[in-house]
Amino acid sequence: MHLHKYEKKWLIFGISSLVVFLIILGFGAFWQGTHPQSHGVTIDPENVEANEAFRPENLGITKIDDNKYIVNIVASAFNYDFGTDENGAPLKHIRIPKGATVLFQITTKDVVHGFNIAGTNVNMMVEPGYVSSIETVMDRTGEYTVVCNEYCGVGHHLMFATVEVYD
Amino acid sequence: MGLEKIKKVSNNEILPLTISKQESRLYMSFIYVAIISLLIGGLMGLLQTLVRSNTITLPWGIGYYQILTLHGVVLALVLTTYFIIGFQFALMGKTVGISLKQRKVAWLSFWVMIVGTVMAAITILMGKASVLYTFYAPLKAHPVFYIGLALVIVGSWIAGFVNWHQLFVWKKKHPGEKSPLLAFMVAINMAMWFIASLGVAVAVLVQFIPWSLGYAETINVLVSRTLFWYFGHPLVYFWLLPAYMAWYAIIPKIIGGKIFSDSLARLSFILFLFFSIPVGFHHQLTEPGIDPVWKFIQVVLTFMVIIPSLMTAFSMFATFEITGRRKGFGGLFGWLKHLPWKDVRFLAPFIGMLAFIPGGAGGIINASHQMNAVVHNTIWVTGHFHLTVATTVILTFFGISYWLIPHLTGRKLTPQLNRLGIIQTIVWTVGMTIMSGAMHIQGLLGGPRRSAFSEYGGTEQASNWIGYQVAQAIGGSILFIGIILMLYIFIKLAFFAPKGIEEFPIAEEEEDAEPTPMFLENWKLWIAITLALILFAYTIPFVDIIQNSPPGSPPFSWPIGN
């Protein structure tokens, strides 16, 4: 098939750019471990407490080591369950020291939800039957809004929490 | 008498064919539905932006997510599918012809789709199906909603079968000849559509309908989502390819030029067939339960689809430049001046082409594996597809309507309507720049899509989002003015414009064009490669998803207010 000589140059330039771009993405994903969240652990959505992480006493933020934290959350329409404070009131706000490594683990008891700490790369789909998890370093101080960003029903826009990263 | 008849037959063999009154009625029926959908869906879009900017609250207990569902279903599924099928039938009628029998079956496809559309619409209007157009399980809509959707798809398949049969009959009559370019493109688009929509059809028939009727207790959520996105991405190419048909084979005629290369146009469509389907994981990048290696493989396949778009961009601008230089406009950019900027049949699709530059670039960002986490399910994505489908595709469809409707109704596009069309195009461009621009920025700041107005507890981030939502309402209101203008132009062209003959512009090849290689018509090979790519991209991860399935999900209908 005949290709115009400018078209050849255009396609060679375009395709080479694509290849370079894909190599960068692949390098990030496979060598630096920046794959998107793809956790494979399954769970019974009607009995999430069978997984130790999602028992009521283990919800919310737990310090596990110097500068290392785990945050466990159970999502349901239209709520994120971060556990309760000492008075038994539901927690809607967690505090994380700046520079801490945090593992977020979340699952849902009912429909599909989203979990996005707005303004960060913590952005996961939360689907019944699966645990979604991502480890990240929170290195900018400020107050972040956690939003459900997958439609879950009439109260979807009222499903939120806040994360504060402090010095 | 006998001689007369023979003469008529031989006249009919000359391309392009003429479209009879009965055919026109068929093609126009599809377009009527599309234009009614534009009004309903556009009104819903306006209401959404007004709710999200806290300008109004919906009366009479109407839910935000109900109108959001209606907006998505009516515009993304109904308007597009009807316009595309009507336009494609017209292209086939003009290039290969339609027999009486084929026309009857085409009417069947129309009515099956209408029944399905009405069923789905009623459930949405009754508030029984506020599940959005993606209907993600385990949110449960009324079973009639799923049955309606299934009928729309089956109806579109019937249209595809007719299109293939039309081309088949033509090829039988013209052994050894290459098929008309537009007929070839229509056949490719419907092949892609059929192979892709099998996925969603299986999900709806095997999973959703039995589950929503109570025959199956649970549903496998990840399987249903994977089948949906196996269909969901090719769906956007099903919208885009008819626009490409107009760009490749109709725009050159409108600007007074020739097709740049018949074989390149065919090759790009074949590449779209290959790489539109095995790419659905790029919509599921942040989902659990799918191996990231397979996500990455599908990201690579996604990027292959950029190649035919690069070819298309080159062809378009080559046609513009060659045509301009031939008309004697020299200089580096002198040829740009000759373009018929005051002809809306050119201007509307041209702005569509320009919108595809940022639209395509945004798409590359969305599909970029780990980068997806920055924008996934933020309103950036909504901004992205309002550039691609709601600007590139729809402005091209408007550009087609300006000549197709009067051609079918035996009227003329008058200079006044042409001027009004240019105003419409500008209104649309301004409105969409504001709305889509605000959506892109708000998305980068983390603002979610698909959400009613919320202050999210009054955080600083959320209060920053609201300003952009006000901008979206301004853009949305301007766009609605554009819709009213389009509706007025449509009614004029369909019923009131002066009688006359409006040209059906089909471009020709250069007289000394290189012959198109016959291997481009090797349908069996193209379908085989397409299926092989799909099997490669999906078999292992799909088996993996099924083998590692969690317990299924029962239906949930209370979250949607039932």
Side-chain angles (χ1 to χ4, degrees), chain B residues 27 55 93 111 123 134 138 175 177 248 254 294 327 365 373 404 421 432 443 465 467 482 516 519 536 542:
Chain B
Y27 311 151
T55 315
W111 287 111
T123 55
T134 44
E177 281 180 51
Y248 270 114
I254 290 173
W294 284 99
K327 287 183 180 171
I365 292 168
L404 181 62
M432 197 56 90
W465 295 338
T516 304
F519 75 86
F536 162 69
F542 199 73

PDB file of all heavy atoms in Angstrom, chain B residues 27 55 93 111 123 134 138 175 177 248 254 294 327 365 373 404 421 432 443 465 467 482 516 519 536 542:
ATOM      1  N   TYR B  27     -35.233   6.286   6.910  1.00  0.00           N
ATOM      2  CA  TYR B  27     -34.043   6.938   7.477  1.00  0.00           C
ATOM      3  C   TYR B  27     -34.438   8.096   8.385  1.00  0.00           C
ATOM      4  O   TYR B  27     -33.851   8.297   9.447  1.00  0.00           O
ATOM      5  CB  TYR B  27     -33.115   7.444   6.363  1.00  0.00           C
ATOM      6  CG  TYR B  27     -32.810   6.410   5.287  1.00  0.00           C
ATOM      7  CD1 TYR B  27     -32.534   6.784   3.972  1.00  0.00           C
ATOM      8  CD2 TYR B  27     -32.808   5.047   5.587  1.00  0.00           C
ATOM      9  CE1 TYR B  27     -32.261   5.853   2.989  1.00  0.00           C
ATOM     10  CE2 TYR B  27     -32.550   4.101   4.615  1.00  0.00           C
ATOM     11  CZ  TYR B  27     -32.286   4.509   3.304  1.00  0.00           C
ATOM     12  OH  TYR B  27     -32.034   3.575   2.346  1.00  0.00           O
ATOM     13  N   THR B  55     -28.432  26.020  42.215  1.00  0.00           N
ATOM     14  CA  THR B  55     -29.323  27.057  41.704  1.00  0.00           C
ATOM     15  C   THR B  55     -30.781  26.668  41.932  1.00  0.00           C
ATOM     16  O   THR B  55     -31.604  27.495  42.268  1.00  0.00           O
ATOM     17  CB  THR B  55     -29.070  27.264  40.193  1.00  0.00           C
ATOM     18  OG1 THR B  55     -27.666  27.309  39.981  1.00  0.00           O
ATOM     19  CG2 THR B  55     -29.708  28.549  39.705  1.00  0.00           C
ATOM     20  N   GLY B  93     -28.001   3.013   1.476  1.00  0.00           N
ATOM     21  CA  GLY B  93     -28.981   3.230   0.422  1.00  0.00           C
ATOM     22  C   GLY B  93     -28.382   4.006  -0.747  1.00  0.00           C
ATOM     23  O   GLY B  93     -28.715   3.771  -1.910  1.00  0.00           O
ATOM     24  N   TRP B 111     -38.650  -0.733  14.991  1.00  0.00           N
ATOM     25  CA  TRP B 111     -39.724  -0.932  15.967  1.00  0.00           C
ATOM     26  C   TRP B 111     -39.261  -1.706  17.185  1.00  0.00           C
ATOM     27  O   TRP B 111     -39.693  -1.428  18.306  1.00  0.00           O
ATOM     28  CB  TRP B 111     -40.946  -1.587  15.300  1.00  0.00           C
ATOM     29  CG  TRP B 111     -41.652  -0.592  14.426  1.00  0.00           C
ATOM     30  CD1 TRP B 111     -41.729  -0.590  13.066  1.00  0.00           C
ATOM     31  CD2 TRP B 111     -42.335   0.598  14.872  1.00  0.00           C
ATOM     32  NE1 TRP B 111     -42.416   0.524  12.625  1.00  0.00           N
ATOM     33  CE2 TRP B 111     -42.802   1.271  13.717  1.00  0.00           C
ATOM     34  CE3 TRP B 111     -42.585   1.168  16.114  1.00  0.00           C
ATOM     35  CZ2 TRP B 111     -43.506   2.468  13.782  1.00  0.00           C
ATOM     36  CZ3 TRP B 111     -43.289   2.358  16.190  1.00  0.00           C
ATOM     37  CH2 TRP B 111     -43.742   3.000  15.023  1.00  0.00           C
ATOM     38  N   THR B 123     -39.567   2.886  32.947  1.00  0.00           N
ATOM     39  CA  THR B 123     -39.051   2.504  34.268  1.00  0.00           C
ATOM     40  C   THR B 123     -38.226   3.639  34.871  1.00  0.00           C
ATOM     41  O   THR B 123     -38.273   3.861  36.075  1.00  0.00           O
ATOM     42  CB  THR B 123     -38.196   1.227  34.193  1.00  0.00           C
ATOM     43  OG1 THR B 123     -37.164   1.417  33.233  1.00  0.00           O
ATOM     44  CG2 THR B 123     -39.019   0.021  33.843  1.00  0.00           C
ATOM     45  N   THR B 134     -24.862   2.951  33.215  1.00  0.00           N
ATOM     46  CA  THR B 134     -23.947   1.807  33.358  1.00  0.00           C
ATOM     47  C   THR B 134     -24.567   0.669  34.177  1.00  0.00           C
ATOM     48  O   THR B 134     -23.996  -0.416  34.233  1.00  0.00           O
ATOM     49  CB  THR B 134     -22.657   2.259  34.047  1.00  0.00           C
ATOM     50  OG1 THR B 134     -23.005   3.108  35.136  1.00  0.00           O
ATOM     51  CG2 THR B 134     -21.753   3.018  33.107  1.00  0.00           C
ATOM     52  N   PRO B 138     -24.403  -4.490  42.339  1.00  0.00           N
ATOM     53  CA  PRO B 138     -25.718  -5.069  42.646  1.00  0.00           C
ATOM     54  C   PRO B 138     -26.829  -4.048  42.886  1.00  0.00           C
ATOM     55  O   PRO B 138     -27.794  -4.383  43.552  1.00  0.00           O
ATOM     56  CB  PRO B 138     -25.436  -5.869  43.916  1.00  0.00           C
ATOM     57  CG  PRO B 138     -24.342  -5.131  44.601  1.00  0.00           C
ATOM     58  CD  PRO B 138     -23.537  -4.442  43.534  1.00  0.00           C
ATOM     59  N   PRO B 175     -18.749  -8.798  -8.910  1.00  0.00           N
ATOM     60  CA  PRO B 175     -17.609  -9.633  -8.518  1.00  0.00           C
ATOM     61  C   PRO B 175     -16.290  -8.964  -8.904  1.00  0.00           C
ATOM     62  O   PRO B 175     -16.175  -8.337  -9.952  1.00  0.00           O
ATOM     63  CB  PRO B 175     -17.837 -10.927  -9.294  1.00  0.00           C
ATOM     64  CG  PRO B 175     -18.773 -10.573 -10.394  1.00  0.00           C
ATOM     65  CD  PRO B 175     -19.593  -9.416  -9.917  1.00  0.00           C
ATOM     66  N   GLU B 177     -14.944  -6.360  -7.838  1.00  0.00           N
ATOM     67  CA  GLU B 177     -14.822  -4.918  -7.635  1.00  0.00           C
ATOM     68  C   GLU B 177     -14.644  -4.610  -6.165  1.00  0.00           C
ATOM     69  O   GLU B 177     -15.150  -5.327  -5.312  1.00  0.00           O
ATOM     70  CB  GLU B 177     -16.095  -4.212  -8.119  1.00  0.00           C
ATOM     71  CG  GLU B 177     -16.177  -4.041  -9.610  1.00  0.00           C
ATOM     72  CD  GLU B 177     -17.467  -3.336  -9.988  1.00  0.00           C
ATOM     73  OE1 GLU B 177     -17.758  -2.278  -9.420  1.00  0.00           O
ATOM     74  OE2 GLU B 177     -18.200  -3.877 -10.838  1.00  0.00           O
ATOM     75  N   TYR B 248     -13.813  11.294   6.336  1.00  0.00           N
ATOM     76  CA  TYR B 248     -13.028  10.708   5.249  1.00  0.00           C
ATOM     77  C   TYR B 248     -13.688  10.884   3.894  1.00  0.00           C
ATOM     78  O   TYR B 248     -13.020  11.155   2.897  1.00  0.00           O
ATOM     79  CB  TYR B 248     -12.832   9.203   5.486  1.00  0.00           C
ATOM     80  CG  TYR B 248     -11.600   8.837   6.276  1.00  0.00           C
ATOM     81  CD1 TYR B 248     -11.703   8.271   7.543  1.00  0.00           C
ATOM     82  CD2 TYR B 248     -10.325   9.039   5.753  1.00  0.00           C
ATOM     83  CE1 TYR B 248     -10.570   7.914   8.268  1.00  0.00           C
ATOM     84  CE2 TYR B 248      -9.186   8.684   6.462  1.00  0.00           C
ATOM     85  CZ  TYR B 248      -9.317   8.129   7.727  1.00  0.00           C
ATOM     86  OH  TYR B 248      -8.198   7.790   8.422  1.00  0.00           O
ATOM     87  N   ILE B 254     -17.434  18.337   0.280  1.00  0.00           N
ATOM     88  CA  ILE B 254     -17.992  19.636   0.675  1.00  0.00           C
ATOM     89  C   ILE B 254     -16.983  20.755   0.419  1.00  0.00           C
ATOM     90  O   ILE B 254     -17.350  21.854   0.019  1.00  0.00           O
ATOM     91  CB  ILE B 254     -18.439  19.593   2.157  1.00  0.00           C
ATOM     92  CG1 ILE B 254     -19.678  18.703   2.291  1.00  0.00           C
ATOM     93  CG2 ILE B 254     -18.735  20.995   2.699  1.00  0.00           C
ATOM     94  CD1 ILE B 254     -20.128  18.439   3.701  1.00  0.00           C
ATOM     95  N   TRP B 294      -2.453  -7.869  33.389  1.00  0.00           N
ATOM     96  CA  TRP B 294      -3.439  -7.862  32.292  1.00  0.00           C
ATOM     97  C   TRP B 294      -4.041  -6.483  32.083  1.00  0.00           C
ATOM     98  O   TRP B 294      -4.371  -6.106  30.964  1.00  0.00           O
ATOM     99  CB  TRP B 294      -4.515  -8.931  32.523  1.00  0.00           C
ATOM    100  CG  TRP B 294      -3.950 -10.274  32.200  1.00  0.00           C
ATOM    101  CD1 TRP B 294      -3.472 -11.189  33.086  1.00  0.00           C
ATOM    102  CD2 TRP B 294      -3.702 -10.810  30.899  1.00  0.00           C
ATOM    103  NE1 TRP B 294      -2.953 -12.274  32.416  1.00  0.00           N
ATOM    104  CE2 TRP B 294      -3.090 -12.067  31.074  1.00  0.00           C
ATOM    105  CE3 TRP B 294      -3.943 -10.355  29.598  1.00  0.00           C
ATOM    106  CZ2 TRP B 294      -2.710 -12.877  29.996  1.00  0.00           C
ATOM    107  CZ3 TRP B 294      -3.576 -11.158  28.527  1.00  0.00           C
ATOM    108  CH2 TRP B 294      -2.967 -12.396  28.735  1.00  0.00           C
ATOM    109  N   LYS B 327      -6.509  24.934  -5.645  1.00  0.00           N
ATOM    110  CA  LYS B 327      -7.289  26.126  -5.974  1.00  0.00           C
ATOM    111  C   LYS B 327      -6.403  27.352  -6.101  1.00  0.00           C
ATOM    112  O   LYS B 327      -6.912  28.458  -6.293  1.00  0.00           O
ATOM    113  CB  LYS B 327      -8.344  26.369  -4.890  1.00  0.00           C
ATOM    114  CG  LYS B 327      -9.493  25.374  -4.930  1.00  0.00           C
ATOM    115  CD  LYS B 327     -10.521  25.719  -3.873  1.00  0.00           C
ATOM    116  CE  LYS B 327     -11.680  24.727  -3.897  1.00  0.00           C
ATOM    117  NZ  LYS B 327     -12.571  24.935  -2.752  1.00  0.00           N
ATOM    118  N   ILE B 365      -4.530  10.214  28.757  1.00  0.00           N
ATOM    119  CA  ILE B 365      -4.269  10.333  30.201  1.00  0.00           C
ATOM    120  C   ILE B 365      -5.144   9.336  30.971  1.00  0.00           C
ATOM    121  O   ILE B 365      -4.654   8.592  31.825  1.00  0.00           O
ATOM    122  CB  ILE B 365      -4.545  11.774  30.669  1.00  0.00           C
ATOM    123  CG1 ILE B 365      -3.506  12.722  30.057  1.00  0.00           C
ATOM    124  CG2 ILE B 365      -4.538  11.875  32.193  1.00  0.00           C
ATOM    125  CD1 ILE B 365      -3.830  14.188  30.209  1.00  0.00           C
ATOM    126  N   ALA B 373      -5.422   6.824  38.331  1.00  0.00           N
ATOM    127  CA  ALA B 373      -5.855   7.074  39.710  1.00  0.00           C
ATOM    128  C   ALA B 373      -6.019   8.566  39.988  1.00  0.00           C
ATOM    129  O   ALA B 373      -6.775   8.956  40.873  1.00  0.00           O
ATOM    130  CB  ALA B 373      -4.858   6.463  40.692  1.00  0.00           C
ATOM    131  N   LEU B 404     -28.217  16.095   5.208  1.00  0.00           N
ATOM    132  CA  LEU B 404     -28.925  14.818   5.104  1.00  0.00           C
ATOM    133  C   LEU B 404     -30.443  15.004   5.242  1.00  0.00           C
ATOM    134  O   LEU B 404     -31.220  14.432   4.469  1.00  0.00           O
ATOM    135  CB  LEU B 404     -28.410  13.829   6.165  1.00  0.00           C
ATOM    136  CG  LEU B 404     -29.064  12.452   6.151  1.00  0.00           C
ATOM    137  CD1 LEU B 404     -28.801  11.728   4.828  1.00  0.00           C
ATOM    138  CD2 LEU B 404     -28.583  11.588   7.310  1.00  0.00           C
ATOM    139  N   GLY B 421     -27.103  27.899  11.502  1.00  0.00           N
ATOM    140  CA  GLY B 421     -26.275  26.738  11.845  1.00  0.00           C
ATOM    141  C   GLY B 421     -24.900  27.164  12.325  1.00  0.00           C
ATOM    142  O   GLY B 421     -24.351  26.577  13.270  1.00  0.00           O
ATOM    143  N   MET B 432     -19.567  24.557  25.417  1.00  0.00           N
ATOM    144  CA  MET B 432     -18.830  23.348  25.764  1.00  0.00           C
ATOM    145  C   MET B 432     -17.442  23.683  26.287  1.00  0.00           C
ATOM    146  O   MET B 432     -16.930  22.996  27.173  1.00  0.00           O
ATOM    147  CB  MET B 432     -18.755  22.417  24.556  1.00  0.00           C
ATOM    148  CG  MET B 432     -18.394  21.007  24.911  1.00  0.00           C
ATOM    149  SD  MET B 432     -19.531  20.294  26.135  1.00  0.00           S
ATOM    150  CE  MET B 432     -20.784  19.572  25.083  1.00  0.00           C
ATOM    151  N   GLY B 443     -12.103  18.285  38.143  1.00  0.00           N
ATOM    152  CA  GLY B 443     -11.692  16.885  38.279  1.00  0.00           C
ATOM    153  C   GLY B 443     -10.263  16.766  38.776  1.00  0.00           C
ATOM    154  O   GLY B 443      -9.952  15.924  39.625  1.00  0.00           O
ATOM    155  N   TRP B 465     -14.740  23.424  44.870  1.00  0.00           N
ATOM    156  CA  TRP B 465     -15.375  22.770  43.724  1.00  0.00           C
ATOM    157  C   TRP B 465     -16.607  23.533  43.250  1.00  0.00           C
ATOM    158  O   TRP B 465     -16.937  23.524  42.062  1.00  0.00           O
ATOM    159  CB  TRP B 465     -15.796  21.334  44.096  1.00  0.00           C
ATOM    160  CG  TRP B 465     -14.641  20.438  44.403  1.00  0.00           C
ATOM    161  CD1 TRP B 465     -13.346  20.614  43.997  1.00  0.00           C
ATOM    162  CD2 TRP B 465     -14.662  19.245  45.193  1.00  0.00           C
ATOM    163  NE1 TRP B 465     -12.573  19.595  44.492  1.00  0.00           N
ATOM    164  CE2 TRP B 465     -13.340  18.739  45.219  1.00  0.00           C
ATOM    165  CE3 TRP B 465     -15.663  18.536  45.871  1.00  0.00           C
ATOM    166  CZ2 TRP B 465     -12.991  17.571  45.900  1.00  0.00           C
ATOM    167  CZ3 TRP B 465     -15.327  17.375  46.541  1.00  0.00           C
ATOM    168  CH2 TRP B 465     -14.006  16.896  46.569  1.00  0.00           C
ATOM    169  N   GLY B 467     -17.447  26.609  42.835  1.00  0.00           N
ATOM    170  CA  GLY B 467     -17.272  27.635  41.811  1.00  0.00           C
ATOM    171  C   GLY B 467     -17.244  27.034  40.402  1.00  0.00           C
ATOM    172  O   GLY B 467     -17.832  27.579  39.462  1.00  0.00           O
ATOM    173  N   GLY B 482     -28.101  26.208  22.529  1.00  0.00           N
ATOM    174  CA  GLY B 482     -27.662  25.531  21.308  1.00  0.00           C
ATOM    175  C   GLY B 482     -28.621  24.421  20.901  1.00  0.00           C
ATOM    176  O   GLY B 482     -28.897  24.219  19.716  1.00  0.00           O
ATOM    177  N   THR B 516      -6.665   0.490  -4.788  1.00  0.00           N
ATOM    178  CA  THR B 516      -6.778  -0.039  -3.435  1.00  0.00           C
ATOM    179  C   THR B 516      -6.488  -1.532  -3.455  1.00  0.00           C
ATOM    180  O   THR B 516      -7.097  -2.265  -4.216  1.00  0.00           O
ATOM    181  CB  THR B 516      -8.217   0.193  -2.927  1.00  0.00           C
ATOM    182  OG1 THR B 516      -8.487   1.582  -3.019  1.00  0.00           O
ATOM    183  CG2 THR B 516      -8.387  -0.260  -1.497  1.00  0.00           C
ATOM    184  N   PHE B 519      -6.584  -7.026  -0.719  1.00  0.00           N
ATOM    185  CA  PHE B 519      -6.537  -7.731   0.579  1.00  0.00           C
ATOM    186  C   PHE B 519      -7.293  -6.969   1.664  1.00  0.00           C
ATOM    187  O   PHE B 519      -7.677  -7.528   2.668  1.00  0.00           O
ATOM    188  CB  PHE B 519      -5.083  -7.995   1.003  1.00  0.00           C
ATOM    189  CG  PHE B 519      -4.341  -6.777   1.519  1.00  0.00           C
ATOM    190  CD1 PHE B 519      -4.437  -6.405   2.856  1.00  0.00           C
ATOM    191  CD2 PHE B 519      -3.556  -6.025   0.661  1.00  0.00           C
ATOM    192  CE1 PHE B 519      -3.757  -5.291   3.332  1.00  0.00           C
ATOM    193  CE2 PHE B 519      -2.877  -4.914   1.137  1.00  0.00           C
ATOM    194  CZ  PHE B 519      -2.983  -4.543   2.464  1.00  0.00           C
ATOM    195  N   PHE B 536      -7.012 -13.232  23.257  1.00  0.00           N
ATOM    196  CA  PHE B 536      -5.718 -13.000  23.912  1.00  0.00           C
ATOM    197  C   PHE B 536      -5.890 -12.089  25.124  1.00  0.00           C
ATOM    198  O   PHE B 536      -5.409 -12.363  26.219  1.00  0.00           O
ATOM    199  CB  PHE B 536      -4.736 -12.390  22.915  1.00  0.00           C
ATOM    200  CG  PHE B 536      -3.545 -11.733  23.576  1.00  0.00           C
ATOM    201  CD1 PHE B 536      -2.600 -12.519  24.231  1.00  0.00           C
ATOM    202  CD2 PHE B 536      -3.389 -10.358  23.563  1.00  0.00           C
ATOM    203  CE1 PHE B 536      -1.514 -11.926  24.869  1.00  0.00           C
ATOM    204  CE2 PHE B 536      -2.308  -9.763  24.202  1.00  0.00           C
ATOM    205  CZ  PHE B 536      -1.367 -10.551  24.855  1.00  0.00           C
ATOM    206  N   PHE B 542     -10.138 -13.368  32.476  1.00  0.00           N
ATOM    207  CA  PHE B 542     -11.556 -13.682  32.718  1.00  0.00           C
ATOM    208  C   PHE B 542     -11.694 -15.008  33.477  1.00  0.00           C
ATOM    209  O   PHE B 542     -12.476 -15.122  34.417  1.00  0.00           O
ATOM    210  CB  PHE B 542     -12.316 -13.721  31.391  1.00  0.00           C
ATOM    211  CG  PHE B 542     -13.802 -13.577  31.551  1.00  0.00           C
ATOM    212  CD1 PHE B 542     -14.352 -12.346  31.884  1.00  0.00           C
ATOM    213  CD2 PHE B 542     -14.641 -14.658  31.386  1.00  0.00           C
ATOM    214  CE1 PHE B 542     -15.723 -12.199  32.045  1.00  0.00           C
ATOM    215  CE2 PHE B 542     -16.017 -14.521  31.548  1.00  0.00           C
ATOM    216  CZ  PHE B 542     -16.559 -13.291  31.878  1.00  0.00           C
TER     217      PHE B 542
END
